[in-house]
Amino acid sequence: MLRPLTLVRNNGIALYRQIAEGLIEQIQRGYLQPGARLPSSRQLSEQLGIHRKNVVQAYEELLLQDWISTSRGRGTFVSTDLPDMEARRLVAIPETLPAPASAPLQLPAYLKIEESVSHLPYHLDDGLPDPRLIPLTELERAWKSALRRGNQYHRLGYTSPQGLLPLRQALADYLGATRGLMVGPEHILLTRGVTHALHLCLTALIKPGDKVIVPELNWHNGNNSIRYHGAELLTARIDEKGLDTEHVAELLAAHDVRFLYLTPHHQYPTTVIMPAARRIRLLELARAYNLFVFEDDYDFDFHYGNVPIMPLASATHDGRLLYAGSFTKAISPAFRLGYLVGEPALIEQLARLRRIVDRQGDPALEYAVLELFRLEVLPRSLRRARGIYQRRRDHLAQLLTDHLGDQVDFRVPDGGMAIWTTFSPETDLVAASQRGRQSGLSFSDGSQYPGKWNGTRLGFASMTEEELTTAVGLLRKALG
Amino acid sequence: MLRPLTLVRNNGIALYRQIAEGLIEQIQRGYLQPGARLPSSRQLSEQLGIHRKNVVQAYEELLLQDWISTSRGRGTFVSTDLPDMEARRLVAIPETLPAPASAPLQLPAYLKIEESVSHLPYHLDDGLPDPRLIPLTELERAWKSALRRGNQYHRLGYTSPQGLLPLRQALADYLGATRGLMVGPEHILLTRGVTHALHLCLTALIKPGDKVIVPELNWHNGNNSIRYHGAELLTARIDEKGLDTEHVAELLAAHDVRFLYLTPHHQYPTTVIMPAARRIRLLELARAYNLFVFEDDYDFDFHYGNVPIMPLASATHDGRLLYAGSFTKAISPAFRLGYLVGEPALIEQLARLRRIVDRQGDPALEYAVLELFRLEVLPRSLRRARGIYQRRRDHLAQLLTDHLGDQVDFRVPDGGMAIWTTFSPETDLVAASQRGRQSGLSFSDGSQYPGKWNGTRLGFASMTEEELTTAVGLLRKALG
């Protein structure tokens, strides 16, 4: 007896094929037995509410493949001499075996996925770029030309896990010019962002039980990754100058530490810049204690002060420094492209590891971004965005002072895309964030920053000044 | 004293900026001391072989930022009141500290990256699709429309690590219609291919010392990934029906095994189809021994026989079955999109893990492929490719018989994109592969298949019949 067929329009499969394959499946699964009579094409098309030609075409296909037979005047039947009935038996697993006792997998609860809030109209987000400022037209053109030009067997086949050589070359030049990194393409591994770069480094370098130093306030996804790799986290104090290197020195003296993670340029989440003296001290400590240092420079391109301090990686060091950045902020989080910079011997090993992690990047995207470099699109678009974001930063700071001056505390950051804002102790940020969502505003409830802080990041880059004004009005109401 | 400036044309940075930033860096690094005289714009432009306006513009920029000062009639000098000299000290790490004793990282030697051969004109490859058959125009259009439509904050921001819901829905319908998988979007995790799917599963499920069964001949990248995760590999026999499930049963009785990897549809590399009876037996064993089974169905879409046997995942099972596929063959390896299918509770956990591995996929690509489903581009383009590849398979088989009949042994595969070919024992495949490359033909030297086989895969899909004819001529010469 024919079971109901589920047809899905516009799912990429023609209706007649859906019917034919539905019937084959029912025959294979034994629901339709050899010799069973099928409804006429008129009956079935009426049942399904579709044009009869679809059913006629499906039956023709099945006839051709010997799944059904017709007998003039008598009707349509499931064939008694079926083409391949082996698959039918695949349903026949004995149900008498015991079911497994335990849940198959229970990952630690700290591995969480953020709830999506992108349907809301207003976002004082973690510090995201404005999608309206992405050079989309140039990117589309670049993507298109990337697919059409050159050796297609090369461009559209498997490529190097380390990433496209000419893009690594262009990036090396760019990192040299903007960040003082004296590197060539052999120092660079293209990744799918900083998360991916960190995962590769931890997978290669961390054994369970290893100790890793992180700032007491830190990117929670980074902390999660480090914990999941089995490391023990040691938290180092931060203050108004970022990571406290003297506390790091104490930790290093007391523990056998393998790895340290930090965001010296704009400390995440507090946006504080680490002064040069502490950077030097950190490099000395790293060398003295044989420490791997992961320098996450997630938003170097956005600095509004005089001149940014060059990264740790621009200094002489002993080859255990790993420098990571991405195009998340400079283009968009939607195009997954980042980079890891390190000594060539280390980068070569990490590329071999990447081969088994996700094999390679997207060559089309890598060629497209190369094209953006060639056409000088990136510096132009960054310059434009920087000017706009600086005005938005100043506008948000003014709004916070004017409307929430008695409830919040903050320092205008020299760079980045968010203002680290702390709230008076009686403010319930979790409740306020929930009230905000109900009125169309998303902002983080700060629960990822444990302890005394009662603070959160309020992003200023993704909204216009007018939108920021509305958003701060909503924030004020949400804080109650 | 000014050190040489290195300028790179067309690297995405305007020449004047390269000059300005080069000079800032030399000031910061202490090469140019406060008060030092700079060459005139005419001198410097001549030294650099560029138009003078670039140097003039660079000097104007530096003047504006207070890095230099001019004195009418006397010349241009490094400012004695520099804007931010902290960065300068970043070169000052004491060189007296001892250098680290050992190499920072030594990954196991089996983690290798294949040498690129895509510059050669002829490829009897591992079984790659023909890039000339990719629906590029439709893909470009879909990608463009993906970026322009809808909520850009959503589309071009961070998205779900599990992958775009409407694409998972369309894929669920497609997997139901073509493979008999009765799944919804909650059963699917979008990945960046089978390599990535396997890495996620192993990272979640395997502890060092766990035992994993693999076929004695197997995808070497899969084996590498399993080994790198610390598992002990147990190899199960294969024969002309694929994996020998009775040998699997013996291994399970003798060892505590956690995980099994297989390619039942077209056993890799031998292309043999595993009959239904063995599949049922394997599912019974998996249930009895609480085994995770990873079913890699890398080329289901390419089957030229009557009707393909449905995957293991289409049968009732106990929820420890993981089914992986990708668009590598259906679209191109260059667009990194694949999927993992499993019980929703397991998939939800793996999505949380993916959050710290590489965060998410590319929304633009996910939207573009959704569009290909909506426009029914994929089934149309697959149907076309299948017809072409079947003729190429037959053509290659004929060529091998006609020209190398006395040296090779093979069976025409029912599906996939390559013919598993074994060679007479006196054939030195490694030497032959090297000779082939010298004359413009790439084919694998079979060294990834250990032991008695002396075989390799000869791909037929990526070349026209004419190209295949030339390639087999070159192969014959290379075999000597």
Side-chain angles (χ1 to χ4, degrees):
Chain A
M1 169 69 194
L2 181 65
R3 298 199 176 189
L5 288 170
T6 309
L7 300 187
V8 183
R9 281 170 201 274
N10 306 320
N11 76 333
I13 322 278
L15 288 175
Y16 87 90
R17 260 199 82 191
Q18 295 190 40
I19 299 166
E21 286 170 331
L23 289 170
I24 291 174
E25 204 197 334
Q26 295 199 18
I27 296 168
Q28 288 181 319
R29 288 176 172 264
Y31 304 154
L32 282 174
Q33 292 291 322
R37 180 196 284 267
L38 291 173
S40 73
S41 59
R42 185 180 307 275
Q43 289 169 324
L44 187 52
S45 62
E46 280 169 9
Q47 266 179 39
L48 296 169
I50 57 175
H51 196 283
R52 190 178 159 198
K53 76 167 175 15
N54 296 297
V55 180
V56 171
Q57 210 181 343
Y59 279 9
E60 279 169 4
E61 180 80 22
L62 293 171
L63 210 55
L64 206 68
Q65 290 187 26
D66 293 332
W67 290 100
I68 64 174
S69 59
T70 56
S71 173
R72 190 171 298 273
R74 287 186 53 234
T76 306
F77 302 88
V78 176
S79 176
T80 48
D81 181 22
L82 288 170
D84 181 346
M85 281 305 291
E86 289 188 307
R88 184 179 167 189
R89 280 178 295 163
L90 276 192
V91 290
I93 300 192
E95 295 291 334
T96 49
L97 283 168
S102 59
L105 174 62
Q106 206 57 52
L107 290 185
Y110 61 78
L111 290 183
K112 273 187 201 138
I113 294 176
E114 304 84 344
E115 199 187 328
S116 171
V117 290
S118 56
H119 58 284
L120 297 178
Y122 298 98
H123 307 277
L124 291 166
D125 54 37
D126 194 55
L128 296 182
D130 188 337
R132 294 165 289 197
L133 300 181
I134 301 172
L136 273 189
T137 307
E138 291 85 347
L139 194 55
E140 281 161 8
R141 231 180 263 144
W143 199 79
K144 195 166 165 175
S145 103
L147 300 184
R148 294 287 178 181
R149 281 201 321 221
N151 172 351
Q152 287 200 323
Y153 190 83
H154 181 69
R155 295 204 162 197
L156 300 172
Y158 287 114
T159 57
S160 157
Q162 196 176 344
L164 193 65
L165 178 62
L167 178 56
R168 286 187 279 125
Q169 179 63 64
L171 187 59
D173 294 339
Y174 181 76
L175 295 175
T178 58
R179 291 152 169 80
L181 302 192
M182 295 294 131
V183 295
E186 69 280 11
H187 292 83
I188 296 177
L189 172 68
L190 296 180
T191 70
R192 294 180 30 76
V194 174
T195 298
H196 188 221
L198 182 62
H199 174 70
L200 289 169
C201 292
L202 295 171
T203 302
L205 298 171
I206 295 298
K207 291 184 309 301
D210 279 352
K211 292 180 183 170
V212 174
I213 294 179
V214 296
E216 59 177 323
L217 274 186
N218 192 28
W219 180 41
H220 63 291
N221 198 52
N223 280 356
N224 287 349
S225 190
I226 294 165
R227 282 175 76 181
Y228 189 76
H229 281 85
E232 180 187 338
L233 267 72
L234 306 175
T235 54
R237 275 196 301 271
I238 58 165
D239 58 23
E240 71 291 346
K241 290 178 176 175
L243 193 64
D244 177 349
T245 38
E246 290 322 301
H247 191 210
V248 170
E250 287 166 30
L251 291 170
L252 289 171
H255 301 272
D256 184 12
V257 178
R258 177 143 174 94
F259 194 99
L260 179 146
Y261 168 95
L262 83 169
T263 49
H265 190 58
H266 301 129
Q267 208 276 333
Y268 184 97
T270 64
T271 75
V272 169
I273 297 176
M274 189 180 198
R278 286 200 179 177
R279 297 183 187 217
I280 301 294
R281 175 76 173 128
L282 188 71
L283 288 169
E284 286 171 6
L285 289 168
R287 185 164 188 153
Y289 287 96
N290 243 349
L291 200 64
F292 285 99
V293 173
F294 189 96
E295 179 177 27
D296 177 355
D297 205 5
Y298 62 102
D299 65 358
F300 183 92
D301 289 311
F302 294 92
H303 195 83
Y304 317 115
N306 224 335
V307 171
I309 298 185
M310 294 294 143
L312 295 171
S314 71
T316 47
H317 54 80
D318 69 5
R320 297 191 174 215
L321 189 72
L322 296 149
Y323 175 85
S326 87
F327 295 98
T328 298
K329 308 286 189 282
I331 303 179
S332 149
F335 305 102
R336 309 298 304 151
L337 191 58
Y339 43 87
L340 183 71
V341 181
E343 284 305 301
L346 197 56
I347 290 296
E348 189 269 338
Q349 302 252 328
L350 291 170
R352 292 204 275 126
L353 177 61
R354 196 247 173 102
R355 176 72 184 76
I356 59 163
V357 169
D358 67 335
R359 203 196 187 292
Q360 64 173 69
D362 292 24
L365 180 61
E366 293 179 2
Y367 274 108
V369 172
L370 173 62
E371 194 68 11
L372 295 190
F373 272 107
R374 284 209 175 115
L375 300 173
E376 304 202 6
V377 170
L378 276 182
R380 220 168 37 233
S381 107
L382 277 175
R383 200 155 43 229
R384 178 166 166 248
R386 259 194 300 261
I388 293 172
Y389 293 164
Q390 182 166 5
R391 285 193 295 278
R392 292 180 182 176
R393 175 197 64 172
D394 295 340
H395 188 69
L396 178 58
Q398 194 61 53
L399 288 168
L400 291 177
T401 303
D402 291 350
H403 300 292
L404 292 163
D406 50 340
Q407 293 180 69
V408 304
D409 196 15
F410 66 92
R411 214 182 57 77
V412 179
D414 286 328
M417 294 174 164
I419 296 180
W420 170 249
T421 313
T422 54
F423 294 78
S424 48
E426 65 275 15
T427 306
D428 181 347
L429 268 180
V430 173
S433 173
Q434 281 165 357
R435 283 194 295 271
R437 285 190 195 193
Q438 281 155 20
S439 61
L441 170 71
S442 76
F443 64 96
S444 162
D445 64 12
S447 56
Q448 68 269 48
Y449 312 118
K452 61 189 175 188
W453 305 92
N454 209 29
T456 196
R457 283 163 67 90
L458 300 178
F460 52 76
S462 66
M463 289 196 294
T464 64
E465 292 169 44
E466 206 182 332
E467 289 163 344
L468 283 170
T469 303
T470 309
V472 170
L474 293 171
L475 175 62
R476 195 183 173 179
K477 270 192 220 148
L479 290 169
Chain B
M1 170 66 196
L2 180 65
R3 297 198 178 192
L5 288 171
T6 309
L7 301 185
V8 184
R9 279 168 202 274
N10 305 317
N11 76 334
I13 322 280
L15 288 176
Y16 86 91
R17 261 198 81 192
Q18 297 189 39
I19 299 167
E21 286 168 333
L23 289 171
I24 291 174
E25 205 197 332
Q26 295 199 19
I27 296 168
Q28 288 181 317
R29 288 177 173 262
Y31 303 155
L32 281 174
Q33 292 291 324
R37 179 197 285 268
L38 291 173
S40 73
S41 58
R42 184 181 307 275
Q43 289 170 324
L44 186 52
S45 62
E46 279 171 10
Q47 264 180 39
L48 294 169
I50 57 175
H51 196 282
R52 190 178 158 199
K53 77 167 176 3
N54 297 296
V55 179
V56 170
Q57 211 180 340
Y59 279 9
E60 279 167 4
E61 181 80 23
L62 293 170
L63 210 54
L64 206 68
Q65 290 186 26
D66 292 332
W67 289 100
I68 62 174
S69 59
T70 54
S71 174
R72 191 173 299 274
R74 289 188 51 233
T76 305
F77 301 89
V78 176
S79 176
T80 48
D81 180 22
L82 289 170
D84 182 345
M85 281 306 292
E86 290 188 307
R88 182 178 169 190
R89 279 178 296 162
L90 275 191
V91 289
I93 302 192
E95 295 291 334
T96 49
L97 284 167
S102 60
L105 175 64
Q106 205 58 52
L107 290 184
Y110 61 78
L111 291 184
K112 273 187 199 137
I113 294 175
E114 304 84 343
E115 198 185 330
S116 171
V117 290
S118 56
H119 59 282
L120 298 178
Y122 298 99
H123 306 277
L124 291 166
D125 53 38
D126 194 56
L128 296 182
D130 188 337
R132 293 163 290 197
L133 300 180
I134 300 172
L136 272 189
T137 307
E138 292 86 347
L139 194 56
E140 281 162 9
R141 233 181 260 142
W143 199 80
K144 194 166 166 175
S145 102
L147 300 185
R148 293 287 178 182
R149 281 199 323 218
N151 172 348
Q152 287 201 323
Y153 191 82
H154 180 69
R155 295 204 163 195
L156 300 173
Y158 287 115
T159 58
S160 156
Q162 196 176 344
L164 193 65
L165 179 62
L167 178 56
R168 286 187 278 125
Q169 180 63 63
L171 187 59
D173 295 340
Y174 180 77
L175 295 175
T178 57
R179 290 151 169 80
L181 302 193
M182 296 294 130
V183 293
E186 69 280 12
H187 292 84
I188 297 177
L189 172 68
L190 297 181
T191 68
R192 294 179 31 76
V194 174
T195 298
H196 188 220
L198 182 62
H199 174 70
L200 289 168
C201 292
L202 296 171
T203 302
L205 299 171
I206 296 298
K207 291 184 308 301
D210 280 350
K211 290 178 183 173
V212 174
I213 294 179
V214 296
E216 59 177 322
L217 273 185
N218 193 29
W219 180 42
H220 62 290
N221 197 50
N223 280 356
N224 288 349
S225 189
I226 294 165
R227 281 174 77 182
Y228 189 75
H229 281 85
E232 181 186 337
L233 268 71
L234 306 175
T235 54
R237 273 195 302 269
I238 58 165
D239 59 22
E240 70 293 347
K241 291 177 176 174
L243 193 64
D244 178 348
T245 38
E246 290 321 302
H247 191 212
V248 170
E250 286 167 30
L251 290 171
L252 289 171
H255 301 273
D256 184 12
V257 177
R258 179 146 172 91
F259 194 98
L260 180 145
Y261 168 96
L262 83 171
T263 50
H265 191 58
H266 301 128
Q267 208 275 332
Y268 184 97
T270 64
T271 76
V272 169
I273 296 176
M274 189 181 198
R278 285 198 179 178
R279 296 181 189 219
I280 300 293
R281 177 76 173 130
L282 188 71
L283 288 169
E284 286 170 7
L285 290 169
R287 185 165 189 151
Y289 287 95
N290 244 348
L291 200 63
F292 286 99
V293 173
F294 189 96
E295 179 177 25
D296 177 355
D297 206 5
Y298 62 102
D299 64 358
F300 184 93
D301 289 311
F302 294 92
H303 194 85
Y304 317 114
N306 225 334
V307 172
I309 299 185
M310 293 294 143
L312 296 170
S314 71
T316 48
H317 55 80
D318 68 7
R320 297 191 175 217
L321 190 73
L322 295 149
Y323 175 83
S326 88
F327 295 98
T328 297
K329 309 286 189 282
I331 303 179
S332 149
F335 306 101
R336 308 299 302 153
L337 191 59
Y339 43 86
L340 182 72
V341 181
E343 285 304 301
L346 197 55
I347 291 296
E348 190 268 339
Q349 303 251 328
L350 292 170
R352 291 205 275 126
L353 177 61
R354 196 247 173 101
R355 176 71 182 78
I356 59 162
V357 169
D358 67 337
R359 204 198 187 292
Q360 63 172 65
D362 292 333
L365 180 61
E366 293 178 4
Y367 274 107
V369 172
L370 173 63
E371 194 68 10
L372 295 190
F373 272 107
R374 284 210 174 114
L375 299 174
E376 304 202 6
V377 169
L378 276 183
R380 219 166 41 232
S381 107
L382 278 175
R383 200 155 44 230
R384 175 164 169 250
R386 260 194 300 263
I388 293 171
Y389 293 163
Q390 182 165 5
R391 286 193 296 278
R392 291 179 182 177
R393 174 196 66 173
D394 295 341
H395 188 70
L396 177 58
Q398 194 62 52
L399 289 168
L400 292 177
T401 305
D402 290 351
H403 300 292
L404 292 163
D406 51 339
Q407 293 180 70
V408 304
D409 197 13
F410 66 92
R411 215 182 57 77
V412 179
D414 287 327
M417 295 173 162
I419 296 180
W420 169 249
T421 313
T422 54
F423 294 78
S424 48
E426 66 274 15
T427 306
D428 181 348
L429 269 179
V430 173
S433 174
Q434 281 165 356
R435 282 193 296 269
R437 287 189 192 193
Q438 280 154 20
S439 60
L441 170 72
S442 76
F443 63 97
S444 162
D445 64 11
S447 56
Q448 69 268 50
Y449 313 119
K452 62 191 174 189
W453 305 92
N454 209 28
T456 197
R457 283 163 68 89
L458 300 177
F460 52 76
S462 65
M463 288 196 293
T464 65
E465 293 168 44
E466 206 181 333
E467 289 163 344
L468 284 169
T469 305
T470 309
V472 171
L474 293 172
L475 175 62
R476 194 184 175 179
K477 269 191 220 150
L479 290 168

